[in-house]
Amino acid sequence: MSKILLHTCGVLLSIAVFAQKGDYPISDHQAGIKGLEYTTNDLVFDQYGLMYVATSAGLLRYDGAFWEFIETPSAVFSLDVAEDNRIYVGCIGSFGYLELTGDGLRYKTASPDSLASTRFKSTLVSGDSVIFLSEEVLYTYTPASRKTTRYTSPDKRPIKSIIQDKGEIFLNTQIASYLWSGQDFRESEVWMAGMEPPAKAVRSGTSQAVLLDQSGKLFYQKSGGFKPFKEVDVTVEDFQWINDTLLVASTRNNGCMVINTNSYKVEGMINYESGLPDDEIMSIEVDWNMGIWIAHQFGFSRVDPNAPVFCLSNQEGLEGNLITSVVFKGQVLLGTSSGLFRPRKDTLYEMSESVKRLTGSRSTPKTKTGQPKIREIKWVYERVSGINHKINVFRKHGNVLLVGTNGGLFEYNGKKVRKIVSDPVSEITSIPRSSEFLVIDNQKVSRYTNQDGDYTELPFGLDKTLVLTAYGDRKSLIWLVGSKQLMGAGLTYNGASILVEVDFPNDFLETPTISEMDKGLYFISNQGYFNYNYKNKALAQDSTMLRELGLPRHHLKDPDGGFWVYDGKMWKHVNQNGEILSYSYLSLFPDVRYIHRDGQDGSIYFINADNKFYKYLPEGNDNNGYQSNVFYKHLFAKSSYSGYQKQVRLGYDQNSLRAEVSQPDYLGLLKVEYQYMLDGMDKDWSAWSDNSTINLNFLPEGKYELKVRSRDIFGRVQTIDPIVLVIDPPYWQTTWFYFLEVVFFATLVLISTRLNQGKASNRFLTEGLTILTIVMIIETLQSAAGSYVQFATSPFIDFLINLCIALVIFPMEILLKKVIKSGKVPVNLKRAGSGAGG
């Protein structure tokens, strides 16, 4: 029976803010490796949280900051991770694993040579073995013995999948499911949904089983059987558990669905309409922080279904660039470069075709029309009629909303729009305890009052004064910000008059954020937080606030009171009583263009530089779900790579070490910094830095201990096990070399002495050997002394030091020459020797 879809749009003007849920936040990642073209086939995460990507070009590894490419002999189709963190890889015509070698991380084959073009589409670590599966054959590989065993399909049909469940292995072919004991196969009905073997089946942490059959239908286990998810009416390619109650299912042409297995309903869609770059999904995986990774033609997207932030601007109907927003009388309003927009529900109904029934052979057919049924309810945006210009500012004034646009000033009462004036308006400032307000455009100020709905322009004057922004304080002063000064003006019926002038250098025409709090009036610029002293009529930097908030790299006024500051790491809100609240998750959005709070439910609405509108529901501990561990990625010493070692021993001529550490941060939320100290050389820790590579060069001989720690944006500090670093002395400063020197020089002295005692026929040889022996001994002693007396000085000072050493050694030279020439030991040495012997 054919279906007729009726599109009914019911306009709801009084919409509760919380009714519009929004889309999950999406962050996009691209492997910036030039010249690499690939198709993604599989994704896995290792024990440290690093992501590995199986592609048609080889393997990719990613830690949130750096991409690495690892060559493989052919296209990679499947991956799995063992408990020892070894990555196993299934390719075309080969299977193997990754191993850290002296040249870096490399692929090592574990397969026989005669696999031809066999495609290993599944890899599964099971106990002490690894299973590599193709449609034709199954291989098991035992790492301990390096033994491979080949198995064929139990019914000669193509092998479709392999399932590991509660210690048992099930092999599924095109027509049947088999329990595999490791030696033989026995047909099983455990995973049969209907009459079709499964393509995949996985249990959650609470043992709830979900099954995907070969035709792409998704089933859940209930009452001993399997039932289909009724809301999933598209062909599913793959699924992954997010947590114990949520799973994500991917499709070929419809993006992904987040499904609640308690309610059996689709909880959210992840597709092009919700911000995904492409609806064709290649592969999916879930990381440690329950983030969904989606591989598509344009790279990788990470979706956070548990995030406290939702995107509200992906819905249909919005036009133009987003500029400002407000919550007014229960409505969310968006001002864009095209006009004013508000959300409403769009209901999609479904009706069956009319049915003709015959009551008799000659009776007239009667038509019965089917009842309408709600097919879908979604949110769209509609334009508020009456404003078709670029909106610059919203300002609540009494019980109406003033809207400043390039086409004039408008009033909105929640239902309809009324135009007040036609001149452009870029800013509106309400004057406390008054019906008056100021509007600014092109650095010119105009003054209006609203009496019972009638707007009247009042004189303001000061037409020649350049005004960037204005603010009305509780003392009835109107503050005007110019390029050189702050001016406090008083208002009378005849206009404004300047009462106070304060120096405020502003050559670059920065618009400061002005906020009046319990402890005074503040002007916030990129230079700091300046408090105005009414008594002294002076402006001074608030050093306490600067220390607590940091330098305001980005500052915005909150129209509901207080102000916002971004210090380069985190967004903070300062309310009127001076209380500071930090919003960690907002640090993902450093380029916020506009932000405001809803005073009723605590929600925060903001417009980001990516031209999207978000709703943030802050919680007590946004940071609890976002953690990762710091670890040594690898070490580089002696011209080769290695993993972490408790002790590294280096020679004097290879006294360099490079340690690369990592702490995966796929959100960019943690903003991890690193710090190290070489105990035995450094007296204190190095400065915090986002550089994750530690280079130690030209280390003198000795024993050191390298300590490394990390710090995230929440102040959490993690340390890694230290590395003991031993630098061996050069060979000429070792004990064995000293011993050889003593033996060598003693032999020379003995030979020279004997030649001098005897009547040598060649006196030239005797004298030459004597001089050579003395010179070599003295030079050796002088070099040894110089090696232990080292100063960073000038060449002249070095000369004086060497001269002093020579003068100290000179008496030894005279004594040594005398001994060799005479062949006799000095008297004092004779007596010492005779006394010892007697």
Side-chain angles (χ1 to χ4, degrees):
M1 187 178 296
S2 62
K3 302 282 182 86
I4 299 175
L5 297 180
L6 300 180
H7 200 184
T8 304
C9 300
V11 178
L12 304 176
L13 297 182
S14 298
I15 301 172
V17 173
F18 55 80
Q20 190 180 6
K21 182 180 178 181
D23 299 315
Y24 304 124
I26 299 176
S27 58
D28 295 322
H29 303 253
Q30 290 184 336
I33 302 176
K34 293 183 178 180
L36 187 67
E37 295 183 3
Y38 59 88
T39 299
T40 299
N41 300 310
D42 197 8
L43 301 169
V44 295
F45 289 86
D46 71 5
Q47 310 292 352
Y48 294 115
L50 295 177
M51 184 173 75
Y52 293 79
V53 184
T55 79
S56 57
L59 271 173
L60 296 174
R61 184 167 77 158
Y62 185 46
D63 67 353
F66 301 103
W67 288 91
E68 301 171 65
F69 176 69
I70 304 166
E71 291 185 359
T72 55
S74 57
V76 183
F77 282 90
S78 58
L79 299 167
D80 203 9
V81 186
E83 289 186 359
D84 63 358
N85 209 38
R86 175 172 279 185
I87 310 297
Y88 289 94
V89 184
C91 304
I92 290 183
S94 173
F95 58 79
Y97 54 88
L98 296 185
E99 184 174 83
L100 184 61
T101 68
D103 297 324
L105 198 61
R106 294 290 183 265
Y107 172 85
K108 296 288 184 179
T109 185
S111 59
D113 297 331
S114 57
L115 295 180
S117 59
T118 304
R119 180 170 67 98
F120 292 97
K121 61 181 182 179
S122 296
T123 299
L124 176 66
V125 177
S126 177
D128 298 330
S129 300
V130 186
I131 301 171
F132 298 94
L133 181 71
S134 75
E135 285 202 347
E136 299 83 20
V137 294
L138 178 151
Y139 277 88
T140 62
Y141 170 71
T142 306
S145 62
R146 298 186 179 181
K147 179 183 177 182
T148 59
T149 306
R150 183 179 184 272
Y151 299 88
T152 59
S153 171
D155 56 19
K156 309 306 180 184
R157 300 297 180 94
I159 304 172
K160 291 301 182 180
S161 67
I162 188 166
I163 297 172
Q164 182 172 231
D165 182 61
K166 297 182 179 180
E168 295 182 317
I169 301 293
F170 296 87
L171 194 72
N172 305 292
T173 70
Q174 198 172 35
I175 61 172
S177 181
Y178 298 88
L179 176 63
W180 182 39
S181 65
Q183 299 296 328
D184 56 11
F185 299 93
R186 179 165 49 88
E187 196 164 341
S188 171
E189 295 290 325
V190 173
W191 294 105
M192 298 293 286
M195 294 300 294
E196 188 171 313
K200 181 175 183 177
V202 186
R203 294 186 188 272
S204 70
T206 57
S207 293
Q208 184 178 12
V210 171
L211 180 149
L212 177 66
D213 71 8
Q214 294 180 28
S215 64
K217 294 180 181 178
L218 204 61
F219 297 81
Y220 61 91
Q221 193 173 26
K222 189 175 184 181
S223 302
F226 288 93
K227 297 184 178 182
F229 286 93
K230 293 183 178 180
E231 287 197 2
V232 182
D233 56 356
V234 294
T235 301
V236 174
E237 296 284 322
D238 191 12
F239 74 91
Q240 298 284 346
W241 284 98
I242 301 171
N243 52 36
D244 290 340
T245 59
L246 292 179
L247 63 85
V248 57
S250 65
T251 70
R252 178 67 184 272
N253 298 311
N254 300 96
C256 293
M257 296 166 287
V258 175
I259 302 168
N260 190 314
T261 56
N262 283 343
S263 63
Y264 312 113
K265 294 183 177 181
V266 176
E267 193 169 277
M269 293 297 299
I270 308 169
N271 51 27
Y272 184 79
E273 291 184 357
S274 65
L276 196 67
D278 192 2
D279 281 344
E280 182 181 2
I281 310 303
M282 298 178 181
S283 184
I284 57 172
E285 187 55 85
V286 176
D287 64 24
W288 284 13
N289 290 317
M290 295 181 288
I292 305 167
W293 284 85
I294 302 173
H296 44 72
Q297 181 182 348
F298 303 98
F300 306 88
S301 296
R302 187 187 187 277
V303 183
D304 194 350
N306 299 293
V309 171
F310 301 93
C311 182
L312 301 179
S313 56
N314 292 324
Q315 287 81 359
E316 299 175 3
L318 272 181
E319 297 178 14
N321 289 315
L322 309 185
I323 298 173
T324 185
S325 67
V326 70
V327 178
F328 180 68
K329 293 186 177 181
Q331 299 180 50
V332 176
L333 299 175
L334 269 174
T336 79
S337 58
S338 177
L340 178 63
F341 295 84
R342 60 189 174 193
R344 63 166 170 79
K345 282 185 178 179
D346 188 14
T347 306
L348 187 68
Y349 287 94
E350 179 180 83
M351 294 184 65
S352 60
E353 193 178 60
S354 59
V355 179
K356 297 180 179 180
R357 295 184 181 275
L358 297 177
T359 58
S361 59
R362 295 183 179 180
S363 49
T364 303
K366 293 185 178 180
T367 302
K368 183 179 181 180
T369 305
Q371 296 296 316
K373 179 182 177 182
I374 295 177
R375 171 71 179 273
E376 181 184 4
I377 298 177
K378 63 180 181 179
W379 289 88
V380 298
Y381 283 93
E382 69 172 356
R383 181 186 294 274
V384 177
S385 60
I387 302 179
N388 299 309
H389 311 283
K390 177 182 178 181
I391 294 181
N392 299 313
V393 62
F394 292 130
R395 182 69 61 204
K396 296 176 184 177
H397 188 73
N399 63 347
V400 298
L401 181 70
L402 298 177
V403 184
T405 78
N406 282 357
L409 179 65
F410 295 82
E411 175 198 89
Y412 178 66
N413 62 7
K415 295 182 179 181
K416 59 182 181 179
V417 168
R418 180 163 67 109
K419 192 170 188 177
I420 301 172
V421 295
S422 298
D423 295 332
V425 174
S426 58
E427 186 177 344
I428 304 172
T429 300
S430 292
I431 300 175
R433 301 185 299 275
S434 170
S435 62
E436 295 185 21
F437 59 91
L438 305 179
V439 299
I440 301 174
D441 184 69
N442 198 23
Q443 301 167 357
K444 177 185 176 182
V445 181
S446 301
R447 176 185 173 194
Y448 295 90
T449 183
N450 177 10
Q451 298 290 342
D452 299 326
D454 293 328
Y455 291 90
T456 305
E457 183 175 5
L458 300 176
F460 183 77
L462 306 178
D463 292 337
K464 296 182 180 180
T465 304
L466 183 149
V467 178
L468 300 174
T469 186
Y471 185 86
D473 68 13
R474 300 169 192 165
K475 298 181 180 295
S476 299
L477 277 178
I478 306 301
W479 290 94
L480 309 175
V481 179
S483 61
K484 299 289 185 182
Q485 291 178 320
L486 299 176
M487 295 160 284
L491 291 178
T492 66
Y493 185 79
N494 295 320
S497 59
I498 302 298
L499 303 178
V500 178
E501 290 184 301
V502 181
D503 290 338
F504 187 72
N506 192 19
D507 293 336
F508 293 98
L509 302 182
E510 177 189 356
T511 300
T513 294
I514 309 174
S515 180
E516 189 168 17
M517 301 190 297
D518 293 346
K519 58 180 182 178
L521 181 66
Y522 279 83
F523 297 83
I524 299 97
S525 72
N526 290 338
Q527 304 302 313
Y529 311 87
F530 299 91
N531 176 240
Y532 179 71
N533 188 308
Y534 286 91
K535 182 177 180 181
N536 299 329
K537 296 184 179 180
L539 199 65
Q541 173 82 271
D542 189 329
S543 57
T544 301
M545 188 172 287
L546 181 63
R547 184 174 59 254
E548 292 177 349
L549 295 175
L551 198 64
R553 295 189 179 183
H554 195 20
H555 52 88
L556 294 168
K557 182 180 179 180
D558 192 326
D560 294 320
F563 62 91
W564 292 87
V565 168
Y566 180 69
D567 62 359
K569 293 182 178 180
M570 188 177 295
W571 278 101
K572 301 172 185 177
H573 181 267
V574 184
N575 60 21
Q576 288 186 333
N577 61 16
E579 181 183 6
I580 300 172
L581 293 177
S582 298
Y583 294 93
S584 55
Y585 200 90
L586 274 181
S587 65
L588 288 175
F589 305 91
D591 300 317
V592 171
R593 295 202 302 235
Y594 185 80
I595 187 168
H596 67 90
R597 296 179 304 161
D598 179 15
Q600 294 184 353
D601 65 357
S603 301
I604 296 170
Y605 295 86
F606 63 93
I607 297 171
N608 199 39
D610 59 2
N611 199 42
K612 290 189 176 181
F613 180 49
Y614 295 91
K615 179 180 180 179
Y616 174 38
L617 301 173
E619 300 174 357
N621 291 303
D622 288 346
N623 57 320
N624 285 346
Y626 303 96
Q627 301 185 30
S628 63
N629 299 317
V630 62
F631 65 96
Y632 286 105
K633 221 174 182 182
H634 43 63
L635 307 177
F636 185 81
K638 300 179 182 178
S639 301
S640 65
Y641 290 92
S642 66
Y644 168 74
Q645 303 174 51
K646 289 185 178 180
Q647 180 171 304
V648 177
R649 197 175 196 100
L650 301 174
Y652 77 96
D653 56 343
Q654 294 180 324
N655 55 352
S656 298
L657 175 74
R658 184 173 79 237
E660 297 185 18
V661 296
S662 179
Q663 185 171 339
D665 179 18
Y666 300 111
L667 279 171
L669 170 68
L670 298 178
K671 293 181 170 54
V672 181
E673 296 178 313
Y674 303 93
Q675 194 178 45
Y676 75 92
M677 180 172 67
L678 191 61
D679 201 357
M681 177 173 285
D682 299 331
K683 294 182 179 180
D684 204 353
W685 290 88
S686 65
W688 288 106
S689 170
D690 59 2
N691 184 9
S692 60
T693 301
I694 300 166
N695 289 298
L696 304 174
N697 298 313
F698 309 112
L699 296 174
E701 64 170 294
K703 188 174 183 180
Y704 309 94
E705 189 176 63
L706 176 62
K707 300 177 180 178
V708 181
R709 62 188 183 185
S710 69
R711 179 182 68 179
D712 62 24
I713 195 172
F714 307 110
R716 298 176 301 203
V717 176
Q718 296 184 44
T719 59
I720 322 178
D721 291 338
I723 297 174
V724 176
L725 190 60
V726 179
I727 308 297
D728 291 329
Y731 68 88
W732 60 83
Q733 291 183 4
T734 58
T735 303
W736 64 267
F737 188 79
Y738 288 148
F739 175 75
L740 290 178
E741 281 187 314
V742 171
V743 172
F744 175 73
F745 287 125
T747 302
L748 282 179
V749 171
L750 180 62
I751 294 172
S752 298
T753 302
R754 292 297 184 187
L755 288 174
N756 278 279
Q757 285 179 341
K759 296 180 179 180
S761 59
N762 193 338
R763 300 301 299 174
F764 179 77
L765 175 63
T766 302
E767 289 294 333
L769 184 59
T770 300
I771 294 172
L772 178 62
T773 301
I774 294 172
V775 169
M776 291 180 66
I777 292 175
I778 296 305
E779 284 298 322
T780 300
L781 292 174
Q782 187 167 355
S783 298
S787 66
Y788 287 102
V789 182
Q790 295 180 352
F791 299 96
T793 58
S794 66
F796 178 72
I797 300 299
D798 290 339
F799 167 75
L800 293 179
I801 291 174
N802 290 328
L803 179 62
C804 292
I805 293 174
L807 291 175
V808 171
I809 296 176
F810 183 68
M812 295 179 62
E813 181 181 354
I814 297 174
L815 177 61
L816 184 61
K817 186 175 182 181
K818 184 177 180 181
V819 170
I820 293 174
K821 286 288 187 178
S822 64
K824 299 179 180 180
V825 181
V827 176
N828 57 338
L829 295 180
K830 276 186 178 183
R831 289 176 180 173
S834 62

